[in-house]
Short mmCIF file of all heavy atoms in Angstrom, two decimals:
data_model
loop_
_atom_site.label_atom_id
_atom_site.label_comp_id
_atom_site.label_asym_id
_atom_site.label_seq_id
_atom_site.Cartn_x
_atom_site.Cartn_y
_atom_site.Cartn_z
N ILE F 303 26.64 -3.32 -36.51
CA ILE F 303 26.21 -4.66 -36.11
C ILE F 303 25.27 -5.25 -37.17
O ILE F 303 24.67 -4.52 -37.97
CB ILE F 303 25.52 -4.68 -34.73
CG1 ILE F 303 24.26 -3.78 -34.67
CG2 ILE F 303 26.50 -4.29 -33.64
CD1 ILE F 303 23.37 -4.03 -33.47
N ASN F 304 25.16 -6.58 -37.16
CA ASN F 304 24.18 -7.22 -38.06
C ASN F 304 22.91 -7.56 -37.26
O ASN F 304 22.80 -7.21 -36.08
CB ASN F 304 24.79 -8.45 -38.75
CG ASN F 304 25.12 -9.57 -37.78
OD1 ASN F 304 24.67 -9.55 -36.62
ND2 ASN F 304 25.88 -10.55 -38.24
N ASP F 305 21.97 -8.24 -37.90
CA ASP F 305 20.68 -8.50 -37.26
C ASP F 305 20.78 -9.39 -36.03
O ASP F 305 19.85 -9.48 -35.23
CB ASP F 305 19.71 -9.15 -38.26
CG ASP F 305 19.28 -8.17 -39.33
OD1 ASP F 305 19.60 -6.97 -39.21
OD2 ASP F 305 18.62 -8.61 -40.30
N SER F 306 21.93 -10.08 -35.89
CA SER F 306 22.12 -10.93 -34.70
C SER F 306 22.94 -10.23 -33.63
O SER F 306 23.31 -10.85 -32.63
CB SER F 306 22.85 -12.22 -35.08
OG SER F 306 22.21 -12.83 -36.15
N GLY F 307 23.29 -8.99 -33.87
CA GLY F 307 24.05 -8.24 -32.88
C GLY F 307 25.55 -8.44 -32.98
O GLY F 307 26.30 -7.91 -32.16
N ALA F 308 26.00 -9.21 -33.98
CA ALA F 308 27.44 -9.40 -34.15
C ALA F 308 28.04 -8.14 -34.78
O ALA F 308 27.37 -7.43 -35.54
CB ALA F 308 27.70 -10.60 -35.05
N LEU F 309 29.32 -7.89 -34.47
CA LEU F 309 30.00 -6.72 -35.03
C LEU F 309 30.62 -7.09 -36.37
O LEU F 309 31.41 -8.03 -36.46
CB LEU F 309 31.09 -6.24 -34.06
CG LEU F 309 31.78 -4.93 -34.43
CD1 LEU F 309 30.84 -3.74 -34.24
CD2 LEU F 309 33.04 -4.72 -33.60
N ILE F 310 30.27 -6.34 -37.40
CA ILE F 310 30.86 -6.59 -38.72
C ILE F 310 32.19 -5.85 -38.80
O ILE F 310 32.24 -4.63 -38.61
CB ILE F 310 29.95 -6.04 -39.86
CG1 ILE F 310 28.51 -6.53 -39.70
CG2 ILE F 310 30.52 -6.37 -41.23
CD1 ILE F 310 28.33 -8.00 -39.91
N VAL F 311 33.24 -6.61 -39.07
CA VAL F 311 34.58 -6.02 -39.16
C VAL F 311 35.13 -6.25 -40.57
O VAL F 311 35.21 -7.39 -41.04
CB VAL F 311 35.52 -6.66 -38.11
CG1 VAL F 311 36.94 -6.10 -38.24
CG2 VAL F 311 35.00 -6.42 -36.69
N ASN F 312 35.45 -5.16 -41.25
CA ASN F 312 36.01 -5.26 -42.59
C ASN F 312 37.53 -5.44 -42.50
O ASN F 312 38.22 -4.64 -41.87
CB ASN F 312 35.69 -3.99 -43.40
CG ASN F 312 34.19 -3.90 -43.66
OD1 ASN F 312 33.53 -4.92 -43.93
ND2 ASN F 312 33.65 -2.69 -43.55
N LEU F 313 38.01 -6.50 -43.13
CA LEU F 313 39.43 -6.83 -43.05
C LEU F 313 40.21 -6.20 -44.21
O LEU F 313 39.62 -5.87 -45.25
CB LEU F 313 39.59 -8.35 -43.06
CG LEU F 313 38.81 -9.10 -41.97
CD1 LEU F 313 39.12 -10.59 -42.01
CD2 LEU F 313 39.13 -8.55 -40.59
N PRO F 314 41.52 -6.05 -44.03
CA PRO F 314 42.33 -5.38 -45.06
C PRO F 314 42.24 -6.09 -46.42
O PRO F 314 42.39 -5.45 -47.46
CB PRO F 314 43.76 -5.48 -44.51
CG PRO F 314 43.60 -5.68 -43.04
CD PRO F 314 42.31 -6.39 -42.83
N ASP F 315 41.98 -7.41 -46.45
CA ASP F 315 41.92 -8.13 -47.73
C ASP F 315 40.56 -7.96 -48.44
O ASP F 315 40.29 -8.61 -49.44
CB ASP F 315 42.23 -9.62 -47.53
CG ASP F 315 41.16 -10.32 -46.69
OD1 ASP F 315 40.14 -9.66 -46.34
OD2 ASP F 315 41.34 -11.52 -46.38
N GLY F 316 39.71 -7.11 -47.88
CA GLY F 316 38.42 -6.84 -48.54
C GLY F 316 37.30 -7.74 -48.04
O GLY F 316 36.12 -7.48 -48.34
N SER F 317 37.62 -8.78 -47.27
CA SER F 317 36.56 -9.63 -46.73
C SER F 317 36.01 -9.02 -45.44
O SER F 317 36.57 -8.04 -44.91
CB SER F 317 37.12 -11.04 -46.46
OG SER F 317 38.09 -10.97 -45.43
N ALA F 318 34.92 -9.59 -44.95
CA ALA F 318 34.33 -9.08 -43.70
C ALA F 318 34.08 -10.24 -42.75
O ALA F 318 33.82 -11.36 -43.19
CB ALA F 318 33.02 -8.38 -44.01
N LYS F 319 34.19 -9.97 -41.46
CA LYS F 319 33.90 -11.00 -40.46
C LYS F 319 32.81 -10.50 -39.54
O LYS F 319 32.78 -9.31 -39.21
CB LYS F 319 35.15 -11.30 -39.63
CG LYS F 319 36.08 -12.28 -40.29
CD LYS F 319 36.97 -12.95 -39.26
CE LYS F 319 37.84 -13.96 -40.00
NZ LYS F 319 38.63 -14.78 -39.15
N ALA F 320 31.94 -11.40 -39.11
CA ALA F 320 30.93 -11.06 -38.11
C ALA F 320 31.43 -11.58 -36.77
O ALA F 320 31.54 -12.79 -36.58
CB ALA F 320 29.60 -11.69 -38.47
N VAL F 321 31.78 -10.68 -35.89
CA VAL F 321 32.36 -11.07 -34.60
C VAL F 321 31.26 -11.17 -33.56
O VAL F 321 30.61 -10.18 -33.22
CB VAL F 321 33.38 -10.01 -34.14
CG1 VAL F 321 34.04 -10.41 -32.83
CG2 VAL F 321 34.41 -9.76 -35.21
N SER F 322 31.02 -12.39 -33.09
CA SER F 322 29.93 -12.50 -32.12
C SER F 322 30.43 -12.86 -30.72
O SER F 322 29.67 -12.88 -29.78
CB SER F 322 28.90 -13.53 -32.57
OG SER F 322 29.53 -14.74 -32.86
N SER F 323 31.70 -13.15 -30.60
CA SER F 323 32.24 -13.37 -29.26
C SER F 323 33.69 -12.93 -29.24
O SER F 323 34.22 -12.49 -30.26
CB SER F 323 32.15 -14.85 -28.89
OG SER F 323 32.95 -15.60 -29.77
N GLY F 324 34.34 -13.05 -28.10
CA GLY F 324 35.71 -12.55 -28.01
C GLY F 324 35.65 -11.06 -27.73
O GLY F 324 34.59 -10.45 -27.79
N GLU F 325 36.77 -10.50 -27.42
CA GLU F 325 36.77 -9.08 -27.07
C GLU F 325 37.33 -8.23 -28.19
O GLU F 325 38.33 -8.54 -28.78
CB GLU F 325 37.58 -8.87 -25.80
CG GLU F 325 37.51 -7.44 -25.36
CD GLU F 325 37.55 -7.31 -23.85
OE1 GLU F 325 36.78 -7.99 -23.17
OE2 GLU F 325 38.35 -6.50 -23.37
N VAL F 326 36.64 -7.14 -28.45
CA VAL F 326 37.10 -6.21 -29.47
C VAL F 326 37.73 -5.01 -28.79
O VAL F 326 37.13 -4.39 -27.93
CB VAL F 326 35.92 -5.74 -30.35
CG1 VAL F 326 36.39 -4.70 -31.33
CG2 VAL F 326 35.32 -6.92 -31.07
N SER F 327 38.92 -4.69 -29.17
CA SER F 327 39.60 -3.54 -28.62
C SER F 327 39.48 -2.39 -29.60
O SER F 327 39.64 -2.59 -30.81
CB SER F 327 41.08 -3.89 -28.48
OG SER F 327 41.51 -3.62 -27.20
N VAL F 328 39.21 -1.21 -29.08
CA VAL F 328 39.02 -0.08 -29.99
C VAL F 328 40.16 0.90 -29.86
O VAL F 328 40.46 1.36 -28.77
CB VAL F 328 37.71 0.67 -29.65
CG1 VAL F 328 37.43 1.74 -30.68
CG2 VAL F 328 36.58 -0.30 -29.54
N ARG F 329 40.75 1.23 -30.96
CA ARG F 329 41.84 2.22 -30.89
C ARG F 329 41.27 3.60 -30.60
O ARG F 329 40.26 4.00 -31.17
CB ARG F 329 42.58 2.26 -32.21
CG ARG F 329 43.22 0.93 -32.49
CD ARG F 329 44.47 1.08 -33.29
NE ARG F 329 45.13 -0.22 -33.29
CZ ARG F 329 46.29 -0.43 -33.87
NH1 ARG F 329 46.90 0.54 -34.49
NH2 ARG F 329 46.83 -1.62 -33.83
#
Side-chain angles (χ1 to χ4, degrees):
I303 59 166
N304 66 13
D305 290 352
S306 308
L309 187 71
I310 309 292
V311 177
N312 293 321
L313 304 184
D315 66 4
S317 65
K319 277 202 178 187
V321 182
S322 53
S323 63
E325 184 147 310
V326 175
S327 232
V328 186
R329 298 210 169 182

